[in-house]
Amino acid sequence: KNIKDNNVKYFIFSSSLSVFDQNKFKKNLAPYSMYKLRIEKYLKKISSKNFKVIILRYPNIIGSDPKGTLGEKNKFISRIVPLFYRNIISKKKNILYYDQKNKAYPSRNYMHVEDIAKINLQVISNITKFDNKFQIFNIMNKKKYTNFEVMNILSKILKIKPTFELRKINKKESINQLFKSKDDILKMLNYSPEYTNLKKILKTNIKWFKKIY
């Protein structure tokens, strides 16, 4: 509200695809997703022709600077790639969530952090293309991967065989998130992600992880 009152014309909010389950808002939202959705709804309420809001819903953001000079380090939350990496190199057991009824691992969409940064810059550079007072864009890479595939590809890069244990998936999580987006922001911006292959993305993590773990 303060931003709007100070004559800012555009507001870009970094949201998350985690608010969804089968193209509908999740009924049992985790705190992180709940926070994102509450802010989305508030921004929609206060948006206007003089305060245009652009919501960018990100997939799972992974990867590091390929040179190993910059990356993620977070002691407060458990993220899938750093967790798998630490467990594989220390030969600890990984926990994989699994749907016993449907015999399926949960799959997610992953995008490299550099592609996310470049998309944000492209949005700013093309800000006048966003005519509506409130727009939502679901940002996705070409392919989804299961938690098993993430662990397996990372282990092959490291050349260390992983060990794992299966656990029942939490009812808050979906097996295969589906998303429909009215507008394709990548086409709108004429941007193609540089990193579309999970192996290529995970390889960028290694130099950084070797520095911090």
Side-chain angles (χ1 to χ4, degrees):
K1 187 176 182 299
N2 287 338
I3 292 169
K4 181 180 178 180
D5 291 345
N6 280 280
N7 298 316
V8 171
K9 302 300 181 186
Y10 292 90
F11 187 84
I12 303 167
F13 179 60
S14 302
S15 191
S16 171
L17 288 176
S18 65
V19 300
F20 273 128
D21 182 15
Q22 305 295 317
N23 293 317
K24 296 179 181 178
F25 292 127
K26 285 183 182 178
K27 292 181 179 178
N28 300 307
L29 285 169
Y32 173 82
S33 305
M34 187 184 298
Y35 143 78
K36 293 291 188 184
L37 192 55
R38 285 179 70 181
I39 293 178
E40 279 190 21
K41 288 179 177 179
Y42 179 75
L43 288 169
K44 185 176 183 179
K45 182 180 176 182
I46 68 167
S47 64
S48 69
K49 65 178 183 179
N50 295 317
F51 183 69
K52 294 176 181 177
V53 173
I54 302 158
I55 306 288
L56 303 179
R57 287 184 180 144
Y58 301 143
N60 289 272
I61 304 172
I62 60 174
S64 303
D65 167 39
K67 295 179 181 178
T69 57
L70 187 66
E72 173 191 18
K73 186 176 183 181
N74 194 322
K75 295 180 180 178
F76 303 102
I77 58 173
S78 179
R79 301 256 292 152
I80 184 170
V81 176
L83 181 63
F84 281 171
Y85 175 85
R86 293 197 305 269
N87 287 341
I88 291 168
I89 62 170
S90 60
K91 297 187 177 179
K92 290 183 179 178
K93 191 179 289 185
N94 284 291
I95 304 299
L96 298 185
Y97 291 94
Y98 186 72
D99 186 335
Q100 295 284 355
K101 183 180 178 181
N102 297 303
K103 306 296 181 187
Y105 293 99
S107 63
R108 296 290 181 266
N109 199 267
Y110 295 91
M111 188 168 281
H112 195 278
V113 63
E114 284 191 359
D115 279 318
I116 291 292
K118 288 174 182 176
I119 289 167
N120 277 274
L121 289 171
Q122 285 289 330
V123 170
I124 294 166
S125 298
N126 293 274
I127 201 73
T128 55
K129 288 183 179 180
F130 298 88
D131 297 326
N132 298 337
K133 69 175 186 177
F134 182 82
Q135 287 178 273
I136 295 176
F137 298 96
N138 297 331
I139 297 174
M140 289 171 285
N141 225 331
K142 291 182 178 180
K143 187 180 176 182
K144 287 184 282 188
Y145 293 88
T146 66
N147 54 4
F148 178 80
E149 287 176 304
V150 175
M151 179 193 71
N152 205 35
I153 292 170
L154 191 57
S155 71
K156 285 181 179 178
I157 295 170
L158 295 169
K159 297 180 181 178
I160 302 172
K161 188 175 180 179
T163 58
F164 63 94
E165 173 188 328
L166 298 184
R167 287 189 186 173
K168 185 179 179 181
I169 192 167
N170 191 305
K171 64 180 181 179
K172 290 185 179 181
E173 297 297 328
S174 60
I175 284 292
N176 187 14
Q177 293 171 316
L178 299 175
F179 313 105
K180 288 180 181 177
S181 193
K182 182 181 176 183
D183 300 301
D184 187 339
I185 194 167
L186 298 184
K187 284 185 179 179
M188 185 177 174
L189 299 172
N190 194 27
Y191 181 81
S192 297
E194 180 183 348
Y195 297 88
T196 56
N197 179 274
L198 184 62
K199 186 175 182 180
K200 184 179 178 182
I201 296 174
L202 291 174
K203 278 185 173 180
T204 68
N205 280 119
I206 303 303
K207 284 184 179 180
W208 173 251
F209 283 168
K210 283 180 178 178
K211 281 186 176 182
I212 63 172
Y213 297 124

